[in-house]
């Protein structure tokens, strides 16, 4: 589960001596629809989170290097599995969210997430080197909008933003929060007002607390929509 580039997984993993490499896949990358490769890096960062979570379930610590070789621009990251890792309850929940089945249904009712849940989602973004800022919401609105930002706007920051976006999406799933997102941030009101100086918006999300909320032990029964990253379209996860 996670964002894709125009419904295409334009990355691939390659196993080499002692490492797992994450590469941009030139055969699947549609440059005309993403000329700078920003969406590609965001989606690839999300794939890194899933790999790290899976490694944790197998008892391994994943050490990630972003853009490790300037002479190989298609090499986006390397992952080295080191030592032993004691998996946490949160990691188990997030990994379970990546394995949920997919369907075409979306949440039809709900309410804005509580301040406590929003703070947990903001912490999820912070752990990946990004920030999640709630946006002003209409009093009668159901969804809570938020903008994901990074301190910079280059390839490294795009990969970090992708990791943060995926962790926020999975954390929302673990808390019965439906989320939709768009990578188009230029025409969303109040984005610049909530971001601090030096931050760049990378994605805008809409968050809805499912109603009624399900017990934590049954969070993963309903299905998850497959992501489709279409230009200027909101993509919904459940």
């Amino acid at each position: 589960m996670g964002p894709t580039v125009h419904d295409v997984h334009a990355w691939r993993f390659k196993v080499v001596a002692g490492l797992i490499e994450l590469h941009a896949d030139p055969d699947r990358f549609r440059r005309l629809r993403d000329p700078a490769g920003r969406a590609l890096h965001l989606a690839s960062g999300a794939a890194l989170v899933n790999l790290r979570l899976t490694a944790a379930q197998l008892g391994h610590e994943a050490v990630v290097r972003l853009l490790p070789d300037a002479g190989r621009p298609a090499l986006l990251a390397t992952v080295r599995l080191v030592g032993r890792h004691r998996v946490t309850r949160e990691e188990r929940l997030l990994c379970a969210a990546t394995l949920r089945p997919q369907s075409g249904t979306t949440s039809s009712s709900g309410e804005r997430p509580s301040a406590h849940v929003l703070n947990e989602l903001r912490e999820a973004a912070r752990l990946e080197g990004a920030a999640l800022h709630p946006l002003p919401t209409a009093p009668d609105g159901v969804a809570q909008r938020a903008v994901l930002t990074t301190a910079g706007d280059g390839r490294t920051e795009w990969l970090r933003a992708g990791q943060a976006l995926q962790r926020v999406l999975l954390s929302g799933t673990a808390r019965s929060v439906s989320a939709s997102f768009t990578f188009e941030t230029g025409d969303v009101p109040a984005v610049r007002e909530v971001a601090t100086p030096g931050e760049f918006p990378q994605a805008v999300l809409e968050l809805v607390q499912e109603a009624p909320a399900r017990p934590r032990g049954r969070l993963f029964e309903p299905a998850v929509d497959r992501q489709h990253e279409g230009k200027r379209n909101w993509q919904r996860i459940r």
Side-chain angles (χ1 to χ4, degrees):
M1 186 186 83
T4 60
V5 185
H6 309 300
D7 204 27
V8 174
H9 290 85
W11 64 83
R12 58 187 175 90
F13 290 106
K14 180 181 179 181
V15 178
V16 298
L19 291 174
I20 302 172
E21 295 181 341
L22 175 65
H23 291 261
D25 189 343
D27 295 331
R28 306 189 74 190
F29 176 42
R30 302 171 183 174
R31 187 170 294 277
L32 290 177
R33 302 183 67 179
D34 185 25
R38 178 172 168 271
L40 168 66
H41 286 72
L42 285 161
S44 299
L48 274 176
V49 170
N50 289 357
L51 176 62
R52 288 163 44 202
L53 289 171
T54 303
Q57 310 309 302
L58 300 175
H60 294 284
E61 187 74 27
V63 178
V64 177
R65 288 187 62 195
L66 302 178
L67 305 176
D69 189 345
R72 303 167 65 193
L75 177 59
L76 304 181
T78 58
V79 181
R80 186 183 301 275
L81 304 182
V82 298
R84 298 295 298 171
H85 176 77
R86 184 184 294 275
V87 63
T88 66
R89 183 172 185 271
E90 179 73 4
E91 288 170 334
R92 288 196 296 267
L93 287 172
L94 298 184
C95 192
T98 70
L99 301 176
R100 288 181 57 183
Q102 301 171 350
S103 82
T105 60
T106 58
S107 180
S108 58
S109 62
E111 58 188 13
R112 274 180 281 178
S114 66
H116 176 71
V117 170
L118 283 177
N119 285 337
E120 290 184 330
L121 299 183
R122 295 177 70 180
E123 176 64 11
R126 188 193 67 80
L127 290 173
E128 300 295 343
L132 185 69
H133 301 285
L135 293 169
T137 304
D140 56 348
V142 172
Q144 172 67 60
R145 279 193 168 191
V147 59
L148 184 73
T149 64
T150 55
D153 195 31
R155 296 178 66 206
T156 300
E157 288 76 26
W158 295 343
L159 286 168
R160 289 200 181 104
Q163 292 181 89
L165 176 61
Q166 179 70 342
R167 193 177 185 103
V168 168
L169 296 177
L170 296 177
S171 297
T173 299
R175 291 156 179 80
S176 299
V177 174
S178 296
S180 61
F181 67 90
T182 179
F183 293 156
E184 299 294 327
T185 62
D187 59 352
V188 178
V191 167
R192 297 294 180 182
E193 285 76 5
V194 299
T196 59
E199 289 185 338
F200 292 83
Q202 303 294 349
V204 177
L205 297 88
E206 284 189 351
L207 307 167
V208 178
Q209 183 76 56
E210 294 179 356
R214 296 184 300 276
R216 290 186 67 86
R218 302 179 63 190
L219 285 179
F220 305 108
E221 290 182 0
V224 179
D225 286 354
R226 181 177 183 182
Q227 291 308 293
H228 175 273
E229 174 49 25
K231 185 178 180 181
R232 304 184 69 82
N233 290 336
W234 287 89
Q235 315 304 328
R236 184 164 295 283
I237 296 177
R238 186 184 180 193

